[in-house]
Amino acid sequence: MNFKNRMKSLACLSLVAGGLWAQNVCVSTPNTSLLLSAPAGGELRILYYGEKLAEADLKTYEGDRGMDAAYPVYGLTCITETALAVTHADGNLTTEMVVDQVATSDDDTSTKTVVRLKDKVYPFYVNVCYRAYHDVDIIEAWTEITNGEKKPVVLTQFASAYLPIRRGEVWLSHLHGSWANEGQLVQEPLTPGMKVIQNKDGARNSHTDHAEVMFSLDGQPRENAGRVIGAALCYGGNYKLRVETHDGDYHQFFAGINEDNSAYRLEKDETFVTPALALTYSDEGLSGASRNFHRWGREYKLANGDKLRKILLNSWEGVYFDINQEGMDQMMADIAAMGGELFVMDDGWFGGKYQRNKDNSSLGDWVVDKRKLPEGIEGLLADAKKHGIKFGIWIEPEMTNTVSELYEKHPDWILKAPQRDPVLGRGGTQLVLDLANPEVQDFVFGVVDDLMTRYPEIDYIKWDANMPISNHGSQYLPADKQSHMYIEYHRGFAKVCDRIRAKYPDLTIQACASGGGRANWGILPWFDEFWVSDNTDALQRIYMQWGTSYFFPAIAMASHISAAPNHQTFRTIPLKYRIDVAMSGRLGMEIQPKNMTGEEKKLCKKAIAEYKTIRPVVQQGDIYRLLSPYDKLGLASLMYVAPAKDKAVFYWWKTEHFVNQHLPRVPMAGLNPDKLYRVHELNRIDNEPLAFEGKVFSGAYLMANGLEIPYNHKVDYHKQNDYSSRVLYLEAVE
Ligand code: GLA
């Protein structure tokens, strides 16, 4: 935090502590303030959220023009949306909360503010909590709901947080999609009525809509200008985001667990803790809000967010289920020869009584299939060692198949409605295990623990989840708690993941869920990265990775070079372009190297070596999205800048190809205007260097003008094609 900001935040705290504005509570980060009015015995209201308030602003702030209740409850406010709705023990459907007390506490990285609310009549309490980080502009908001009544109460609505957003020309940016087309950016103005973004998958939650949004407050969203509020719900299960535009001056934004079919019976003295909603504000446009999420994510959320990721080859698109010792050894030799650092064996390696040759059996039977791998995992680890790389393995521990020894032994471990046949998933046989059941939790923990105990050299786990919860019914939960199933599933999941991380903090774990089904900040504290999509087509990936980068940093976005024609789109994209797209995320390969030519392997080897140079900038740097593929201007461009602004990587991908077309020249962003940068092209395939290769430009020039990038590659005639892309490395010179 710089000195100015430190002074501002001290000022903000002392106002509260000094009692001058005893009823106002200011929650602040280096550049933002959230101001609450918390009069004892009165209503908790939000007065302000946005750019940091100076002391003078705080003093003169017109508290009376406060926006709204900070946590609207149902009962005496019936006509608009609410955050909380409760059926009290005596059947009363109304709630009226007033401020009881305010407490703040500090740790090394954040300040926590807890406003305790109490119902005016019932012993029913809600802690409205905010965690403000000291070095990044994120405030996490959540609630703790406690039943002090004599009997259970029922929560029918229990949002994590509420935020009023001043009407004007507010636009919403959010992600939408489907399997193999995740993370598509949608931008729309907020209009009267209700916008609901939700998920009901049960187990995963980001194939379709995402639990994160951005609000551009100054009209049409811009990447590098304009005020933006960003919000990310940190939850891996069903969620609901609501924006109601009623007759007031504010859009009303609510975020939390999806309460549909999830009414929660809160026992006497039980506390229900809602997941956090991470809020950010930036006046540097959408990219500014993304940078805040990324910094916070890397520093405080993502597992091992401070460690660079290895360059890997994953076996899936190379061999699918055709796993055998020789094939794995060959792939390991190939990736090692290209400079890769890790090999991951995907699906198909396990099964005892039932062999896993297709997707319709054996999940749960996590024993090595010796028919395929006679020397077992030991043999593969020895191979990896021989090639000087690390070894990783695929599992799908939350699931089973009707065709499995696990299911034969424990039919009571699956989620299933009473009296009904289970609805089956992938392969016509897949089922989801009941993570509400502690025995199942032990089993799922054991899948990882057994592997790691037996083979401590395993460096990486790809944790998959290929089925939604299609059956409402826990065979473990009692009849009156069946509506807790979705919530208990994720509590069970959290318990398992906590145990895994307590024992194996350094293990790299990928969250995969039929591709990008688990891109959310709820699960990433246990996972190092996620698989963005089962679609590895470089052109479509530009769109998916662009959207996903709104909320998630490149270090977490697994992005692999795959075969041509692509296995999902059947598009034939030249290797150079596939490399240039994959290199904008956590680089890996998803291909059979045996089928690559010598020249292709050479190009990949060079790219891997060059990626190692830029890896810290890509994985730890700040993103500046420059030209959106969604703008349909024929190209897309973004860059990453090292925090010290001494290094940057610029990406330029042509998305359309026409003769005599006119593409815009792309001004850069995020550089130091006073620094001089030398430009060097990476992954060059052209016969001649670019006109500006090795030349030096000021940051000011690059940000005002950008560089004139040739539309096509100068390569031999037979190598010409309809794709072109550039990756430029910028290094500051003294
Ligand atoms: C899912 C994953 C893929 C692959 C397969 C294996 O579809 O997304 O990457 O691991 O499962 O069955």
Side-chain angles (χ1 to χ4, degrees):
M1 191 192 310
N2 65 32
F3 181 72
K4 200 173 114 212
N5 286 332
R6 191 192 300 272
M7 291 316 287
K8 274 192 190 174
S9 79
L10 286 177
C12 200
L13 277 175
S14 68
L15 273 173
V16 179
L20 188 56
W21 276 58
Q23 69 166 36
N24 281 0
V25 179
C26 183
V27 176
S28 21
T29 68
N31 302 294
T32 71
S33 300
L34 174 81
L35 190 61
L36 301 162
S37 163
E43 189 183 34
L44 176 69
R45 289 187 305 145
I46 292 190
L47 304 182
Y48 173 86
Y49 178 55
E51 182 75 28
K52 184 115 183 175
L53 294 173
E55 198 170 337
D57 301 320
L58 274 167
K59 272 191 190 144
T60 53
Y61 204 85
E62 280 183 280
D64 288 341
R65 292 210 35 179
M67 294 179 189
D68 227 335
Y71 195 65
V73 297
Y74 183 78
L76 306 181
T77 314
C78 298
I79 60 165
T80 55
E81 286 292 305
T82 49
L84 179 76
V86 187
T87 307
H88 292 279
D90 63 2
N92 189 341
L93 280 163
T94 71
T95 299
E96 188 180 13
M97 306 300 291
V98 292
V99 174
D100 188 29
Q101 63 183 55
V102 181
T104 61
S105 56
D106 260 323
D107 61 24
D108 289 349
T109 58
S110 66
T111 300
K112 185 174 162 193
T113 303
V114 178
V115 183
R116 183 178 144 106
L117 307 179
K118 185 192 169 306
D119 186 276
K120 265 191 162 170
V121 176
Y122 296 98
F124 179 84
Y125 306 90
V126 176
N127 287 345
V128 177
C129 310
Y130 299 95
R131 179 181 303 286
Y133 286 88
H134 296 158
D135 66 344
V136 49
D137 289 315
I138 295 278
I139 296 171
E140 292 169 14
W142 74 99
T143 52
E144 297 160 354
I145 305 163
T146 301
N147 175 19
E149 298 178 29
K150 290 205 175 79
K151 286 193 183 142
V153 303
V154 178
L155 308 179
T156 51
Q157 208 169 40
F158 34 88
S160 295
Y162 166 66
L163 189 71
I165 293 169
R166 186 67 169 83
R167 284 172 77 163
E169 206 192 338
V170 179
W171 280 60
L172 180 69
S173 298
H174 59 106
L175 305 181
H176 177 71
S178 54
W179 172 80
N181 191 27
E182 294 89 337
Q184 295 295 310
L185 178 64
V186 180
Q187 299 185 308
E188 58 194 305
L190 284 179
T191 53
M194 178 100 128
K195 175 81 190 173
V196 177
I197 294 173
Q198 65 176 354
N199 183 276
K200 297 187 180 189
D201 180 286
R204 313 86 43 91
N205 70 10
S206 57
H207 272 128
T208 52
D209 296 304
H210 263 245
E212 309 87 25
V213 290
M214 287 193 196
F215 299 96
S216 293
L217 308 184
D218 303 311
Q220 286 225 13
R222 282 172 296 161
E223 280 295 347
N224 294 300
R227 296 172 304 151
V228 173
I229 289 174
L233 186 71
C234 305
Y235 193 57
N238 291 351
Y239 61 80
K240 192 183 271 181
L241 313 181
R242 291 170 281 156
V243 189
E244 165 151 76
T245 305
H246 201 244
D247 63 351
D249 278 341
Y250 293 88
H251 300 287
Q252 302 189 297
F253 173 56
F254 300 84
I257 292 178
N258 194 333
E259 68 278 15
D260 288 4
N261 298 303
S262 287
Y264 194 89
R265 193 179 134 100
L266 190 67
E267 297 294 333
K268 178 175 160 40
D269 297 328
E270 184 184 348
T271 298
F272 183 92
V273 181
T274 62
L277 177 73
L279 292 166
T280 194
Y281 167 84
S282 171
D283 63 1
E284 295 178 18
L286 300 161
S287 281
S290 296
R291 289 192 289 280
N292 292 346
F293 280 125
H294 295 183
R295 269 186 225 137
W296 158 82
R298 283 189 303 253
E299 217 173 317
Y300 300 110
K301 291 278 146 177
L302 184 67
N304 302 306
D306 58 343
K307 295 200 186 91
L308 297 179
R309 306 305 197 233
K310 296 187 183 78
I311 299 159
L312 63 84
L313 169 66
N314 185 56
S315 70
W316 181 241
E317 286 194 20
V319 298
Y320 293 102
F321 290 101
D322 189 12
I323 299 277
N324 59 64
Q325 176 114 20
E326 218 173 75
M328 297 297 97
D329 183 57
Q330 163 257 312
M331 289 182 111
M332 286 192 244
D334 282 330
I335 187 61
M338 284 187 273
E341 299 153 328
L342 167 70
F343 172 72
V344 182
M345 177 173 66
D346 208 288
D347 199 350
W349 61 268
F350 54 94
K353 180 167 153 195
Y354 302 104
Q355 259 199 317
R356 176 86 172 167
N357 293 327
K358 287 204 286 184
D359 61 4
N360 63 357
S361 76
S362 320
L363 294 173
D365 303 346
W366 300 106
V367 289
V368 183
D369 187 341
K370 290 275 179 138
R371 293 151 288 196
K372 296 178 182 174
L373 299 166
E375 288 171 36
I377 307 285
E378 293 89 339
L380 298 170
L381 285 167
D383 281 349
K385 206 174 216 166
K386 178 177 79 191
H387 298 301
I389 57 171
K390 299 282 183 192
F391 178 78
I393 197 164
W394 180 96
I395 51 173
E396 194 180 354
E398 298 152 82
M399 308 283 167
T400 190
N401 296 102
T402 50
V403 184
S404 72
E405 291 174 71
L406 181 76
Y407 182 65
E408 283 170 357
K409 233 185 282 162
H410 297 289
D412 54 322
W413 278 11
I414 61 154
L415 288 174
K416 174 196 162 317
Q419 312 295 330
R420 307 198 188 279
D421 290 338
V423 176
L424 301 168
R426 193 182 186 202
T429 57
Q430 191 157 335
L431 291 159
V432 184
L433 295 175
D434 183 1
L435 269 175
N437 183 340
E439 281 183 48
V440 174
Q441 293 165 21
D442 287 344
F443 170 78
V444 175
F445 169 72
V447 175
V448 174
D449 193 38
D450 288 352
L451 276 173
M452 295 310 296
T453 308
R454 273 197 232 168
Y455 319 109
E457 285 159 50
I458 290 179
D459 187 71
Y460 178 109
I461 280 181
K462 174 172 174 176
W463 177 309
D464 216 332
N466 288 314
M467 189 184 168
I469 295 181
S470 303
N471 296 280
H472 197 139
S474 161
Q475 300 189 73
Y476 173 78
L477 292 171
D480 64 354
K481 296 230 161 124
Q482 286 297 311
S483 61
H484 294 200
M485 181 197 67
Y486 293 114
I487 290 167
E488 290 299 344
Y489 184 89
H490 287 278
R491 285 181 175 166
F493 184 77
K495 281 184 196 154
V496 170
C497 291
D498 280 342
R499 284 167 73 185
I500 291 171
R501 278 313 185 184
K503 200 160 171 192
Y504 305 107
D506 299 328
L507 176 68
T508 305
I509 314 182
Q510 179 187 77
C512 176
S514 309
R518 273 190 171 156
N520 66 67
W521 283 115
I523 62 124
L524 284 175
W526 302 297
F527 292 83
D528 301 69
E529 60 176 35
F530 56 86
W531 184 220
V532 174
S533 176
D534 273 347
N535 185 342
T536 56
D537 175 84
L539 184 62
Q540 200 165 344
R541 273 280 179 141
I542 290 177
Y543 292 82
M544 292 189 278
Q545 293 180 185
W546 185 274
T548 308
S549 81
Y550 269 49
F551 306 100
F552 304 97
I555 190 172
M557 289 163 53
S559 180
H560 295 179
I561 300 165
S562 64
N566 178 268
H567 291 192
Q568 295 79 37
T569 61
F570 308 103
R571 200 186 336 256
T572 298
I573 297 183
L575 182 58
K576 153 78 176 156
Y577 194 92
R578 285 179 269 146
I579 289 174
D580 284 1
V581 172
M583 258 172 94
S584 66
R586 195 282 281 132
L587 175 67
M589 300 187 78
E590 185 88 21
I591 195 166
Q592 173 52 281
K594 200 166 70 173
N595 300 338
M596 293 165 74
T597 65
E599 197 180 340
E600 285 175 329
K601 282 186 179 160
K602 213 168 124 200
L603 195 57
C604 284
K605 186 173 181 178
K606 186 160 167 276
I608 288 174
E610 299 195 315
Y611 185 77
K612 287 177 185 166
T613 315
I614 61 168
R615 175 160 47 186
V617 184
V618 176
Q619 297 190 1
Q620 304 287 2
D622 288 319
I623 194 169
Y624 290 82
R625 286 180 302 264
L626 304 172
L627 205 137
S628 171
Y630 294 90
D631 288 347
K632 300 279 176 209
L633 292 172
L635 60 90
S637 178
L638 59 79
M639 62 195 290
Y640 300 109
V641 182
K645 296 194 184 287
D646 55 342
K647 293 180 175 110
V649 190
F650 170 88
Y651 297 84
W652 183 99
W653 306 285
K654 215 161 88 173
T655 50
E656 281 176 359
H657 182 71
F658 297 103
V659 172
N660 283 337
Q661 67 185 139
H662 301 288
L663 299 174
R665 180 164 162 164
V666 187
M668 297 189 186
L671 300 171
N672 180 339
D674 303 327
K675 272 193 170 39
L676 297 176
Y677 295 90
R678 191 181 305 284
V679 179
H680 168 56
E681 186 188 8
L682 304 180
N683 304 338
R684 186 185 124 198
I685 54 161
D686 296 41
N687 294 334
E688 289 163 30
L690 290 165
F692 45 75
E693 171 66 36
K695 301 223 165 106
V696 170
F697 301 86
S698 71
Y701 175 84
L702 292 169
M703 291 195 287
N705 305 290
L707 294 167
E708 198 59 80
I709 314 267
Y711 294 179
N712 300 304
H713 291 286
K714 282 204 176 130
V715 291
D716 295 347
Y717 185 79
H718 73 279
K719 289 189 180 163
Q720 285 189 350
N721 61 68
D722 51 347
Y723 282 86
S724 99
S725 58
R726 304 280 170 180
V727 183
L728 305 179
Y729 182 39
L730 279 66
E731 243 185 321
V733 292
E734 289 310 319

